[in-house]
């Protein structure tokens, strides 16, 4: 190859490279203006609940212990399985006595970044959220006094609570149970997603298709609801803002946030789903009736944006959503204390 030709090829390659860098930076800035951001490197302590390594370890044991349920069969991990994306991969969870819950179980991963917990936002934080399933008749069907009696019957738990909550006359209490679970769940974050690395400056972390999907996600208006570090989970919106889905996807008997506020304007209003790790958490929506992520994207286009996304557009948005899959922490199943003669018996 002649020197002049080689020089031309090199110059063209540098020019194209420079253009690609500029395009990537422009896309980052567009995403940031739309309210998207990478996961933070550190997670702040929850209000009124300083997190310590010992409290996290206690919360981990409680998260996996099925004896927090009346039957002795259902733990927090049953519906928020840390090996399966932090949910249970069921349309709606199966609880006490094989009862089916009314809504799809959200993932527990990155839940600390949500503005509120549950589809209707009825719990302000993870501590308050943890109280609900333990006591719900359709879920774990237990009572706080029964939970405390169970834990006090196990000497190891008594010692752990005394260590984690020093100076308290009676540290084994229901409030401390949920504080410990909250401390563990605060640590369930999934950094290192391709999207995060791209937003932090790694141009090659996302594929060209994923970048196209990110641009479409912003340009089509998806970020109006799905924004923040959790790409959702920040506010409440009517499901069917433009066109209400069919009763199979939007059951008419579930009026969403209305059950919390009793305001007519909140009928069929739900918290925008956080989209981190969404590729791992099928089925979708509060009803859990859509198993295919591309179909879910298409439904949202019609229902929320009033637009028919082409198959190619939906595919690119799905590619972007796949770039939100982060690295889950390695969690070893804990060894739990063995029952004693004083431990309450399971109530099936």
């Amino acid at each position: 190859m002649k020197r002049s030709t080689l020089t031309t090829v090199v110059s063209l390659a540098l020019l194209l490279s420079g253009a690609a860098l500029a395009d990537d930076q422009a896309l980052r800035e567009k995403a940031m203006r739309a309210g998207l951001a990478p996961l933070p490197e550190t997670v702040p302590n929850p209000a009124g609940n300083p997190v310590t390594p010992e409290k996290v370890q206690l919360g981990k044991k409680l998260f996996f212990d099925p004896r927090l349920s009346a039957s002795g069969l259902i733990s927090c991990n049953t519906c928020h399985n840390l090996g399966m994306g932090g949910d249970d991969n069921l349309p709606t969870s199966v609880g006490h006595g094989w009862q089916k819950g009314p809504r799809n179980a959200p993932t527990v991963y990155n839940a600390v970044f949500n503005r509120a917990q549950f589809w209707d936002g009825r719990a302000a934080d993870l501590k308050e959220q943890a109280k609900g399933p333990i006591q719900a008749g359709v879920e774990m069907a237990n009572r706080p006094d029964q939970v405390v009696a169970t834990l006090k019957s196990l000497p190891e738990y008594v010692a752990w609570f005394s260590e984690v909550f020093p100076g308290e006359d009676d540290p084994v209490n229901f409030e401390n149970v949920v504080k410990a679970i909250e401390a563990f769940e605060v640590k369930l974050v999934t950094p290192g997603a391709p999207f995060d690395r791209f937003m932090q400056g790694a141009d090659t972390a996302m594929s060209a298709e994923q970048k196209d999907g990110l641009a479409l996600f912003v340009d089509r208006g998806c970020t109006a609801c799905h924004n923040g570090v959790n790409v959702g989970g920040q506010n409440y919106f009517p499901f069917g803002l433009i066109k209400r889905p069919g009763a199979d996807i939007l059951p008419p008997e579930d009026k969403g946030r209305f059950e919390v506020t009793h305001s007519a304007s909140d009928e069929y209003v739900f918290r925008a789903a956080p989209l981190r790790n969404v590729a791992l958490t099928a089925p979708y929506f509060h009803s859990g009736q859509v198993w295919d992520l591309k179909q879910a994207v298409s439904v949202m286009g019609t229902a929320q944006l009033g637009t028919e996304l082409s198959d190619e557009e939906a595919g690119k948005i799905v590619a972007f959503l796949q770039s939100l899959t982060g690295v889950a922490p390695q969690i070893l199943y804990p060894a739990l204390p063995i029952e004693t003669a004083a431990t309450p018996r399971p109530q099936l």
Side-chain angles (χ1 to χ4, degrees), residues 127-154:
K127 180 177 65 177
E128 186 177 344
Q129 185 277 330
K131 295 178 180 179
I134 293 174
Q135 301 177 78
V138 74
E139 297 183 65
M140 298 168 80
N142 214 346
R143 304 188 314 271
D145 63 311
Q146 187 82 340
V147 171
V148 170
T150 297
L151 296 175
K152 284 186 173 181
S153 76
L154 306 169

mmCIF file of all heavy atoms in Angstrom, residues 127-154:
data_model
loop_
_atom_site.group_PDB
_atom_site.id
_atom_site.type_symbol
_atom_site.label_atom_id
_atom_site.label_comp_id
_atom_site.label_asym_id
_atom_site.label_seq_id
_atom_site.Cartn_x
_atom_site.Cartn_y
_atom_site.Cartn_z
ATOM 1 N N LYS A 127 -38.009 -1.570 55.553
ATOM 2 C CA LYS A 127 -38.384 -2.041 56.895
ATOM 3 C C LYS A 127 -39.896 -2.206 56.990
ATOM 4 O O LYS A 127 -40.389 -3.243 57.463
ATOM 5 C CB LYS A 127 -37.879 -1.054 57.949
ATOM 6 C CG LYS A 127 -38.218 -1.453 59.378
ATOM 7 C CD LYS A 127 -37.627 -0.462 60.377
ATOM 8 C CE LYS A 127 -38.270 0.907 60.219
ATOM 9 N NZ LYS A 127 -37.779 1.868 61.225
ATOM 10 N N GLU A 128 -40.620 -1.199 56.533
ATOM 11 C CA GLU A 128 -42.081 -1.288 56.557
ATOM 12 C C GLU A 128 -42.577 -2.373 55.618
ATOM 13 O O GLU A 128 -43.540 -3.091 55.925
ATOM 14 C CB GLU A 128 -42.690 0.067 56.178
ATOM 15 C CG GLU A 128 -44.194 0.124 56.317
ATOM 16 C CD GLU A 128 -44.762 1.491 55.999
ATOM 17 O OE1 GLU A 128 -43.984 2.465 55.957
ATOM 18 O OE2 GLU A 128 -45.985 1.583 55.780
ATOM 19 N N GLN A 129 -41.907 -2.518 54.481
ATOM 20 C CA GLN A 129 -42.304 -3.555 53.523
ATOM 21 C C GLN A 129 -42.168 -4.941 54.140
ATOM 22 O O GLN A 129 -43.025 -5.810 53.931
ATOM 23 C CB GLN A 129 -41.441 -3.449 52.264
ATOM 24 C CG GLN A 129 -41.842 -4.391 51.137
ATOM 25 C CD GLN A 129 -41.257 -5.794 51.304
ATOM 26 O OE1 GLN A 129 -40.181 -5.948 51.878
ATOM 27 N NE2 GLN A 129 -41.962 -6.789 50.824
ATOM 28 N N ALA A 130 -41.108 -5.167 54.902
ATOM 29 C CA ALA A 130 -40.862 -6.497 55.466
ATOM 30 C C ALA A 130 -41.955 -6.927 56.430
ATOM 31 O O ALA A 130 -42.204 -8.124 56.616
ATOM 32 C CB ALA A 130 -39.506 -6.521 56.160
ATOM 33 N N LYS A 131 -42.635 -5.965 57.058
ATOM 34 C CA LYS A 131 -43.698 -6.309 58.004
ATOM 35 C C LYS A 131 -44.909 -6.920 57.307
ATOM 36 O O LYS A 131 -45.587 -7.782 57.871
ATOM 37 C CB LYS A 131 -44.151 -5.056 58.760
ATOM 38 C CG LYS A 131 -43.108 -4.434 59.660
ATOM 39 C CD LYS A 131 -43.653 -3.173 60.328
ATOM 40 C CE LYS A 131 -42.626 -2.522 61.236
ATOM 41 N NZ LYS A 131 -43.152 -1.290 61.866
ATOM 42 N N GLY A 132 -45.172 -6.473 56.062
ATOM 43 C CA GLY A 132 -46.398 -6.868 55.389
ATOM 44 C C GLY A 132 -46.518 -8.346 55.086
ATOM 45 O O GLY A 132 -47.466 -9.009 55.544
ATOM 46 N N PRO A 133 -45.600 -8.924 54.298
ATOM 47 C CA PRO A 133 -45.731 -10.334 53.928
ATOM 48 C C PRO A 133 -45.735 -11.289 55.116
ATOM 49 O O PRO A 133 -46.417 -12.321 55.084
ATOM 50 C CB PRO A 133 -44.498 -10.569 53.036
ATOM 51 C CG PRO A 133 -44.172 -9.223 52.490
ATOM 52 C CD PRO A 133 -44.489 -8.260 53.587
ATOM 53 N N ILE A 134 -44.989 -10.966 56.171
ATOM 54 C CA ILE A 134 -44.958 -11.855 57.333
ATOM 55 C C ILE A 134 -46.348 -11.994 57.935
ATOM 56 O O ILE A 134 -46.767 -13.091 58.359
ATOM 57 C CB ILE A 134 -43.965 -11.332 58.393
ATOM 58 C CG1 ILE A 134 -42.518 -11.412 57.852
ATOM 59 C CG2 ILE A 134 -44.076 -12.135 59.687
ATOM 60 C CD1 ILE A 134 -41.486 -10.775 58.776
ATOM 61 N N GLN A 135 -47.122 -10.907 57.931
ATOM 62 C CA GLN A 135 -48.428 -10.905 58.573
ATOM 63 C C GLN A 135 -49.597 -11.161 57.621
ATOM 64 O O GLN A 135 -50.710 -11.444 58.076
ATOM 65 C CB GLN A 135 -48.645 -9.561 59.276
ATOM 66 C CG GLN A 135 -47.588 -9.252 60.335
ATOM 67 C CD GLN A 135 -47.798 -7.891 60.964
ATOM 68 O OE1 GLN A 135 -48.655 -7.712 61.828
ATOM 69 N NE2 GLN A 135 -47.001 -6.931 60.536
ATOM 70 N N ALA A 136 -49.347 -11.064 56.303
ATOM 71 C CA ALA A 136 -50.440 -11.216 55.345
ATOM 72 C C ALA A 136 -50.949 -12.654 55.313
ATOM 73 O O ALA A 136 -50.160 -13.593 55.147
ATOM 74 C CB ALA A 136 -49.975 -10.796 53.957
ATOM 75 N N GLY A 137 -52.255 -12.831 55.443
ATOM 76 C CA GLY A 137 -52.829 -14.167 55.479
ATOM 77 C C GLY A 137 -52.602 -14.959 54.206
ATOM 78 O O GLY A 137 -52.528 -16.190 54.237
ATOM 79 N N VAL A 138 -52.464 -14.255 53.080
ATOM 80 C CA VAL A 138 -52.265 -14.933 51.808
ATOM 81 C C VAL A 138 -50.784 -15.215 51.550
ATOM 82 O O VAL A 138 -50.449 -15.897 50.588
ATOM 83 C CB VAL A 138 -52.866 -14.090 50.662
ATOM 84 C CG1 VAL A 138 -51.991 -12.866 50.365
ATOM 85 C CG2 VAL A 138 -53.073 -14.924 49.407
ATOM 86 N N GLU A 139 -49.910 -14.706 52.412
ATOM 87 C CA GLU A 139 -48.461 -14.902 52.210
ATOM 88 C C GLU A 139 -47.877 -15.779 53.325
ATOM 89 O O GLU A 139 -47.978 -16.994 53.264
ATOM 90 C CB GLU A 139 -47.777 -13.540 52.096
ATOM 91 C CG GLU A 139 -48.253 -12.739 50.887
ATOM 92 C CD GLU A 139 -47.544 -11.426 50.723
ATOM 93 O OE1 GLU A 139 -46.324 -11.443 50.464
ATOM 94 O OE2 GLU A 139 -48.198 -10.374 50.848
ATOM 95 N N MET A 140 -47.286 -15.175 54.367
ATOM 96 C CA MET A 140 -46.645 -15.974 55.407
ATOM 97 C C MET A 140 -47.581 -16.250 56.590
ATOM 98 O O MET A 140 -47.305 -17.145 57.398
ATOM 99 C CB MET A 140 -45.358 -15.287 55.857
ATOM 100 C CG MET A 140 -44.350 -15.164 54.707
ATOM 101 S SD MET A 140 -42.939 -14.087 55.038
ATOM 102 C CE MET A 140 -41.905 -15.165 56.010
ATOM 103 N N ALA A 141 -48.644 -15.469 56.689
ATOM 104 C CA ALA A 141 -49.759 -15.748 57.618
ATOM 105 C C ALA A 141 -49.341 -15.897 59.071
ATOM 106 O O ALA A 141 -49.889 -16.724 59.813
ATOM 107 C CB ALA A 141 -50.515 -17.004 57.159
ATOM 108 N N ASN A 142 -48.362 -15.088 59.493
ATOM 109 C CA ASN A 142 -47.904 -15.194 60.874
ATOM 110 C C ASN A 142 -48.258 -13.937 61.662
ATOM 111 O O ASN A 142 -48.770 -12.967 61.095
ATOM 112 C CB ASN A 142 -46.387 -15.438 60.912
ATOM 113 C CG ASN A 142 -45.983 -16.325 62.073
ATOM 114 O OD1 ASN A 142 -46.753 -16.573 63.000
ATOM 115 N ND2 ASN A 142 -44.760 -16.825 62.031
ATOM 116 N N ARG A 143 -47.992 -13.976 62.969
ATOM 117 C CA ARG A 143 -48.235 -12.837 63.847
ATOM 118 C C ARG A 143 -46.908 -12.402 64.453
ATOM 119 O O ARG A 143 -46.030 -13.246 64.713
ATOM 120 C CB ARG A 143 -49.196 -13.197 64.973
ATOM 121 C CG ARG A 143 -50.528 -13.757 64.535
ATOM 122 C CD ARG A 143 -51.469 -13.885 65.749
ATOM 123 N NE ARG A 143 -50.803 -14.493 66.900
ATOM 124 C CZ ARG A 143 -50.756 -15.800 67.134
ATOM 125 N NH1 ARG A 143 -51.303 -16.655 66.274
ATOM 126 N NH2 ARG A 143 -50.142 -16.260 68.212
ATOM 127 N N PRO A 144 -46.726 -11.110 64.716
ATOM 128 C CA PRO A 144 -45.467 -10.661 65.329
ATOM 129 C C PRO A 144 -45.123 -11.403 66.610
ATOM 130 O O PRO A 144 -43.954 -11.775 66.808
ATOM 131 C CB PRO A 144 -45.730 -9.177 65.591
ATOM 132 C CG PRO A 144 -46.687 -8.771 64.515
ATOM 133 C CD PRO A 144 -47.592 -9.964 64.348
ATOM 134 N N ASP A 145 -46.110 -11.652 67.493
ATOM 135 C CA ASP A 145 -45.807 -12.336 68.746
ATOM 136 C C ASP A 145 -45.350 -13.771 68.513
ATOM 137 O O ASP A 145 -44.498 -14.296 69.239
ATOM 138 C CB ASP A 145 -47.017 -12.299 69.682
ATOM 139 C CG ASP A 145 -48.220 -13.033 69.121
ATOM 140 O OD1 ASP A 145 -48.577 -12.802 67.951
ATOM 141 O OD2 ASP A 145 -48.816 -13.855 69.854
ATOM 142 N N GLN A 146 -45.892 -14.416 67.469
ATOM 143 C CA GLN A 146 -45.489 -15.779 67.146
ATOM 144 C C GLN A 146 -44.078 -15.798 66.569
ATOM 145 O O GLN A 146 -43.288 -16.706 66.864
ATOM 146 C CB GLN A 146 -46.477 -16.389 66.153
ATOM 147 C CG GLN A 146 -46.248 -17.867 65.875
ATOM 148 C CD GLN A 146 -46.853 -18.780 66.927
ATOM 149 O OE1 GLN A 146 -47.138 -18.345 68.049
ATOM 150 N NE2 GLN A 146 -47.059 -20.038 66.570
ATOM 151 N N VAL A 147 -43.742 -14.797 65.751
ATOM 152 C CA VAL A 147 -42.383 -14.679 65.218
ATOM 153 C C VAL A 147 -41.392 -14.524 66.364
ATOM 154 O O VAL A 147 -40.351 -15.200 66.419
ATOM 155 C CB VAL A 147 -42.286 -13.483 64.254
ATOM 156 C CG1 VAL A 147 -40.824 -13.213 63.874
ATOM 157 C CG2 VAL A 147 -43.112 -13.735 63.002
ATOM 158 N N VAL A 148 -41.708 -13.639 67.291
ATOM 159 C CA VAL A 148 -40.815 -13.385 68.426
ATOM 160 C C VAL A 148 -40.681 -14.639 69.287
ATOM 161 O O VAL A 148 -39.580 -14.990 69.730
ATOM 162 C CB VAL A 148 -41.329 -12.188 69.252
ATOM 163 C CG1 VAL A 148 -40.552 -12.064 70.558
ATOM 164 C CG2 VAL A 148 -41.212 -10.899 68.436
ATOM 165 N N ALA A 149 -41.791 -15.339 69.533
ATOM 166 C CA ALA A 149 -41.737 -16.568 70.332
ATOM 167 C C ALA A 149 -40.835 -17.606 69.668
ATOM 168 O O ALA A 149 -40.061 -18.302 70.348
ATOM 169 C CB ALA A 149 -43.145 -17.128 70.530
ATOM 170 N N THR A 150 -40.939 -17.709 68.349
ATOM 171 C CA THR A 150 -40.090 -18.663 67.627
ATOM 172 C C THR A 150 -38.624 -18.309 67.783
ATOM 173 O O THR A 150 -37.787 -19.167 68.093
ATOM 174 C CB THR A 150 -40.477 -18.682 66.135
ATOM 175 O OG1 THR A 150 -41.825 -19.141 65.992
ATOM 176 C CG2 THR A 150 -39.550 -19.588 65.340
ATOM 177 N N LEU A 151 -38.286 -17.051 67.576
ATOM 178 C CA LEU A 151 -36.882 -16.631 67.646
ATOM 179 C C LEU A 151 -36.331 -16.758 69.061
ATOM 180 O O LEU A 151 -35.175 -17.160 69.254
ATOM 181 C CB LEU A 151 -36.745 -15.198 67.143
ATOM 182 C CG LEU A 151 -37.105 -14.986 65.663
ATOM 183 C CD1 LEU A 151 -37.061 -13.512 65.302
ATOM 184 C CD2 LEU A 151 -36.174 -15.786 64.755
ATOM 185 N N LYS A 152 -37.146 -16.454 70.063
ATOM 186 C CA LYS A 152 -36.676 -16.554 71.442
ATOM 187 C C LYS A 152 -36.478 -18.003 71.873
ATOM 188 O O LYS A 152 -35.755 -18.270 72.842
ATOM 189 C CB LYS A 152 -37.668 -15.862 72.380
ATOM 190 C CG LYS A 152 -37.572 -14.341 72.349
ATOM 191 C CD LYS A 152 -38.468 -13.691 73.407
ATOM 192 C CE LYS A 152 -38.238 -12.186 73.468
ATOM 193 N NZ LYS A 152 -39.088 -11.536 74.498
ATOM 194 N N SER A 153 -37.103 -18.938 71.168
ATOM 195 C CA SER A 153 -36.933 -20.352 71.501
ATOM 196 C C SER A 153 -35.622 -20.915 70.971
ATOM 197 O O SER A 153 -35.283 -22.063 71.275
ATOM 198 C CB SER A 153 -38.096 -21.163 70.923
ATOM 199 O OG SER A 153 -37.958 -21.337 69.512
ATOM 200 N N LEU A 154 -34.911 -20.104 70.190
ATOM 201 C CA LEU A 154 -33.665 -20.550 69.568
ATOM 202 C C LEU A 154 -32.500 -19.762 70.163
ATOM 203 O O LEU A 154 -32.330 -18.568 69.880
ATOM 204 C CB LEU A 154 -33.744 -20.337 68.053
ATOM 205 C CG LEU A 154 -34.964 -20.986 67.369
ATOM 206 C CD1 LEU A 154 -35.110 -20.501 65.935
ATOM 207 C CD2 LEU A 154 -34.853 -22.503 67.414
#
